[in-house]
C-alpha cells in the first residue's frame, strides 16, 4: 500500500474509527432500544457486550486490517496464506462487505429523515404540538417521494466522500466533522438535563433491575453492541489498513469504545429527561422516538427550535461519518481488482444501494402490509444484519484470531503488557465466541 493511503498522525485513525462507531446507532437507535427493552437491564447487558465481546473483536479486526494493508477481503486472504489457513476465510470479508451495503441501504433512509428534520421547524402558536408532530411524521413517512428525496441526497453525499478516497475524502471530513459532533452532544445533553427530568432518567438508565432481563433483551443488546461499534462486518478492519504503523491498537480501541459509549449514554441523557418531563411522550415509542416526540418536547422549551435544529444537524453528521465506513469495505475490495476507478465503482455501488433502500422506504407506505418471515422489508434487513450477519462475522473473527493465528504473532503486533495480553486473549478465545454461540443457539432452538 502506498504511503498516501496511510492516515497521518494518530488522531485521524481515532476520529475515523470513532466517526464510524458513533452514528444513528448511538443517537437514534440506542435510546429507543433502551426505551423499549426495560431501561437499565438493557444498558447493563449492552455494556457487558461492549467490553467482553466488542473489545477483543475490535482489536482483532484492526490487527487484521493493519497487517494486511488491504481491503478486508484481501487482508484476510493474505493472513490465511501467511498462516497456511483455508482460503475460505476470504468469505468472512465478503459477508461483511455485503452486510455493509445492506445496512447502508436502510441506514440512509433514517439518516435522510434526520437531514430533513433539520428543516422541520414548527410554526409558532400551535395549539397541539404533539398532534402536529404525529401528523407531520405520518405524512412524511407515508410519502415515498419525500423519503426518496432525502435518501437520495444522503446516498449522494456518502458516495461523494468515499469517491474522493481515503485520505482526501474520509480523513479530511472526519477531522472536521467529529469535533463538532462531540461538542453538540455535550451541549444538548446538558441542556436537556437542566430543562427536563434528570433524576428519572438516571434511575431509568442506571438503577439495577435484573429481574426484567429476558433472552430477547440479551439478543437485542448484543446486536446493538455490534452495530454501535461497527464491528463484525469489516468497517473497522478496512480502516485498520490505513492506521499508521506505530499506532498502538489496544489503547486506540479503548479510546474508540469510550467515545462510542459516551455518546450513546449522552444521547440517553439528551432524550430521556425531555421525554420524562412531557406527559405526551412515551419512552417505548420505538424507531419514531426521536422524530415524532423530540420536536414536540423541544417546541415547548426555551430556545427549543434552535436546539432542535442543532440536534438534527448533530445526528446527520454522525450518520454521515458512519455511512462512509459502511461503503468503504466493498469499495476498497472492488478497487483492488483494478478494473475501474474508485469514483466509477462508488457510483455503481451507490445506485445499487439506493435501489435496495427503496424496499425500506416502501415498508413505511406502499409495502407496509408485506410480511417476509413475520417482518416487513425494513425490519428484515435490520434483523438480518444486526442480529445475524454482524454477530456471525464477530464470531468468525474471534475464532480466526483467537484459535488459528499463532499467539506469538498477536503478542508481537499488539505490544500489550503480559497481564493485559492474557486478559485480552482469554476474552477473545473463550468469552466472545462462547457468548455469541449461546445467543445463536437460543435463536435456532
Ligand atoms: N456504528 C454505526 C452507528 O452506530 O450508527 C453504524 C455502523 C457503521 C454499523 C458501520 C456497522 C458499520 F460497519
Amino acid at each position: 500500500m502506498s504511503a498516501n493511503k496511510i492516515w497521518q498522525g494518530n488522531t485521524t485513525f481515532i476520529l475515523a474509527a470513532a466517526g464510524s462507531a458513533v452514528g444513528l446507532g448511538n443517537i437514534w437507535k440506542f435510546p429507543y432500544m433502551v426505551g423499549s427493552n426495560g431501561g437499565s437491564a438493557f444498558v447493563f447487558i449492552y455494556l457487558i457486550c461492549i467490553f467482553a465481546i466488542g473489545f477483543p473483536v475490535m482489536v482483532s479486526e484492526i490487527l487484521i486490517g493493519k497487517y494486511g494493508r488491504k481491503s478486508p477481503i484481501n487482508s484476510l486472504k493474505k493472513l490465511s496464506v501467511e498462516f497456511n489457513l483455508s482460503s475460505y476465510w476470504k468469505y468472512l470479508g465478503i459477508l461483511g462487505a455485503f452486510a455493509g451495503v445492506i445496512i447502508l441501504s436502510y441506514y440512509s433512509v433514517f439518516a435522510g429523515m434526520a437531514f430533513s428534520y433539520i428543516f422541520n421547524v414548527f410554526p409558532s402558536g400551535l395549539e397541539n404540538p404533539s398532534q402536529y408532530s404525529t401528523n407531520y411524521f405520518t405524512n412524511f413517512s407515508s410519502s415515498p417521494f419525500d423519503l426518496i428525496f432525502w435518501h437520495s441526497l444522503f446516498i449522494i453525499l456518502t458516495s461523494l466522500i468515499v469517491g474522493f478516497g481515503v485520505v482526501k475524502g474520509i480523513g479530511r471530513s472526519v477531522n472536521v466533522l467529529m469535533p463538532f459532533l462531540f461538542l453538540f452532544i455535550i451541549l444538548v445533553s446538558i441542556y436537556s438535563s437542566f430543562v427536563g427530568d434528570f433524576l428519572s432518567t438516571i434511575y431509568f438508565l442506571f438503577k439495577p433491575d435484573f429481574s426484567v432481563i429476558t433472552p430477547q433483551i440479551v439478543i437485542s443488546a448484543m446486536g446493538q453492541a455490534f452495530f454501535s461499534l461497527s464491528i463484525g462486518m469489516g468497517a473497522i478492519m478496512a480502516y485498520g489498513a490505513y492506521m499508521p504503523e506505530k499506532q498502538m491498537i489496544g489503547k486506540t480501541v479503548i479510546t474508540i469504545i469510550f467515545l462510542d459509549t459516551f455518546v450513546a449514554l449522552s444521547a440517553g441523557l439528551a432524550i430521556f429527561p425531555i421525554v420524562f418531563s412531557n406527559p405526551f411522550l412515551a419512552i417505548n415509542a420505538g424507531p419514531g422516538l426521536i422524530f415524532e416526540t423530540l420536536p414536540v418536547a423541544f417546541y415547548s422549551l426555551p430556545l427549543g427550535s434552535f436546539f432542535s435544529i442543532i440536534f438534527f444537524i448533530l445526528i446527520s453528521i454522525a450518520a454521515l461519518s458512519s455511512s462512509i465506513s459502511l461503503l468503504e469495505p466493498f469499495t476498497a475490495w472492488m478497487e483492488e481488482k483494478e478494473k475501474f476507478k474508485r469514483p466509477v465503482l462508488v457510483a455503481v455501488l451507490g445506485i445499487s444501494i439506493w435501489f435496495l433502500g427503496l424496499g425500506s422506504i416502501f415498508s413505511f407506505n406502499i409495502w407496509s402490509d408485506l410480511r417476509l418471515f413475520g417482518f416487513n422489508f425494513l425490519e428484515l434487513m435490520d434483523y438480518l444484519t444486526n442480529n445475524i450477519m454482524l454477530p456471525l462475522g464477530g464470531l468468525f473473527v474471534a475464532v480466526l484470531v483467537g484459535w488459528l493465528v499463532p499467539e506469538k504473532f498477536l503478542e508481537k503486533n499488539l505490544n500489550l503488557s503480559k497481564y493485559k495480553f492474557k486478559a485480552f486473549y482469554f476474552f477473545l478465545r473463550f468469552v466472545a465466541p462462547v457468548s455469541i454461540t449461546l445467543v445463536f443457539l437460543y435463536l435456532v432452538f
Side-chain angles (χ1 to χ4, degrees):
M1 169 169 296
S2 60
N4 67 3
K5 277 210 162 182
I6 304 283
W7 282 319
Q8 301 304 306
N10 290 354
T11 42
T12 303
F13 180 83
I14 293 181
L15 289 177
S20 164
V22 175
L24 291 179
N26 307 59
I27 303 167
W28 157 73
K29 198 161 191 188
F30 179 77
Y32 92 69
M33 296 281 276
V34 173
S36 317
N37 285 291
S40 60
F42 180 91
V43 176
F44 178 71
I45 308 279
Y46 173 78
L47 292 177
I48 293 183
C49 292
I50 291 279
F51 291 103
I53 305 176
F55 179 76
V57 171
M58 191 186 271
V59 167
S60 308
E61 281 200 24
I62 297 181
L63 184 78
I64 298 173
K66 193 178 173 202
Y67 160 79
R69 295 272 180 227
K70 287 197 163 94
S71 69
I73 293 149
N74 285 316
S75 292
L76 283 161
K77 237 191 210 169
K78 189 172 161 192
L79 193 81
S80 45
V81 170
E82 167 87 28
F83 297 113
N84 248 327
L85 308 172
S86 158
S87 60
Y88 282 120
W89 281 106
K90 72 166 188 245
Y91 287 102
L92 170 57
I94 295 178
L95 175 85
F98 276 97
V101 161
I102 300 174
I103 295 176
L104 183 53
S105 75
Y106 66 82
Y107 200 81
S108 158
V109 175
F110 288 101
M113 283 186 187
F115 256 178
S116 82
Y117 265 64
I118 297 174
F119 307 97
N120 177 18
V121 176
F122 282 17
S124 54
L126 288 175
E127 266 183 28
N128 191 342
S130 6
Q131 177 128 42
Y132 177 87
S133 179
T134 313
N135 288 346
Y136 185 93
F137 187 75
T138 313
N139 287 341
F140 181 56
S141 54
S142 57
S143 149
F145 290 109
D146 283 349
L147 294 180
I148 289 174
F149 173 80
W150 293 102
H151 166 62
S152 314
L153 191 68
F154 190 78
I155 290 281
I156 292 172
L157 276 178
T158 304
S159 309
L160 276 178
I161 298 180
V162 178
F164 270 112
V166 173
V167 173
K168 279 197 206 138
I170 302 177
R172 272 194 208 153
S173 3
V174 290
N175 269 297
V176 179
L177 296 179
M178 294 310 290
F180 268 113
L181 171 63
F182 291 118
L183 191 75
F184 279 169
I185 191 83
I186 292 171
L187 216 66
V188 179
S189 53
I190 293 176
Y191 167 77
S192 300
S193 303
F194 273 107
V195 296
D197 188 347
F198 180 67
L199 218 58
S200 306
T201 302
I202 295 296
Y203 277 138
F204 181 63
L205 289 178
F206 301 114
K207 188 168 173 249
D209 180 6
F210 304 125
S211 64
V212 296
I213 295 177
T214 61
Q216 200 45 51
I217 289 186
V218 177
I219 294 167
S220 312
M222 189 178 83
Q224 174 63 12
F226 272 92
F227 184 77
S228 188
L229 290 179
S230 305
I231 52 173
M233 58 135 289
I236 292 290
M237 200 186 290
Y239 278 10
Y242 314 127
M243 187 186 211
E245 195 56 44
K246 289 216 176 76
Q247 192 159 1
M248 303 284 248
I249 298 180
K251 260 193 207 156
T252 306
V253 170
I254 290 180
T255 314
I256 298 165
I257 288 187
F258 169 79
L259 291 174
D260 190 66
T261 311
F262 174 79
V263 175
L265 294 175
S266 305
L269 286 179
I271 289 165
F272 290 120
I274 289 178
V275 177
F276 281 128
S277 66
N278 189 322
F280 291 112
L281 308 181
I283 49 163
N284 57 355
L289 183 69
I290 61 168
F291 297 110
E292 251 177 296
T293 59
L294 268 186
V296 183
F298 280 126
Y299 183 80
S300 58
L301 298 168
L303 288 179
S305 30
F306 173 70
F307 275 96
S308 170
I309 292 173
I310 296 219
F311 197 81
F312 285 104
I313 291 180
L314 156 77
I315 299 171
S316 307
I317 293 173
L320 201 54
S321 62
S322 298
S323 65
I324 51 186
S325 73
L326 285 162
L327 193 52
E328 180 58 24
F330 213 119
T331 310
W333 175 37
M334 289 292 141
E335 198 183 14
E336 280 161 2
K337 293 189 186 286
E338 292 186 348
K339 288 213 179 93
F340 298 99
K341 292 257 177 267
R342 184 174 261 259
V344 178
L345 295 169
V346 170
V348 174
L349 267 175
I351 292 171
S352 322
I353 294 168
W354 181 86
F355 269 108
L356 189 61
L358 295 183
S360 295
I361 287 179
F362 296 155
S363 304
F364 284 101
N365 34 68
I366 51 181
W367 284 357
S368 59
D369 292 332
L370 185 79
R371 286 286 174 279
L372 304 155
F373 310 105
F375 298 109
N376 69 28
F377 187 87
L378 168 65
E379 289 162 351
L380 186 68
M381 294 298 110
D382 182 42
Y383 190 85
L384 191 70
T385 47
N386 277 8
N387 293 1
I388 298 179
M389 292 171 98
L390 300 190
L392 201 62
L395 174 63
F396 283 130
V397 166
V399 170
L400 172 65
V401 178
W403 293 91
L404 301 175
V405 169
E407 192 177 345
K408 284 250 160 346
F409 173 84
L410 303 183
E411 269 175 330
K412 188 172 141 247
N413 283 284
L414 288 178
N415 236 328
L416 295 170
S417 67
K418 198 170 161 202
Y419 162 76
K420 281 188 191 148
F421 181 79
K422 285 242 168 322
F424 156 77
Y425 206 43
F426 174 76
F427 275 90
L428 179 66
R429 281 165 74 89
F430 300 102
V431 180
V434 171
S435 16
I436 302 172
T437 308
L438 285 178
V439 170
F440 275 135
L441 288 178
Y442 177 84
L443 280 180
V444 175
F445 296 109

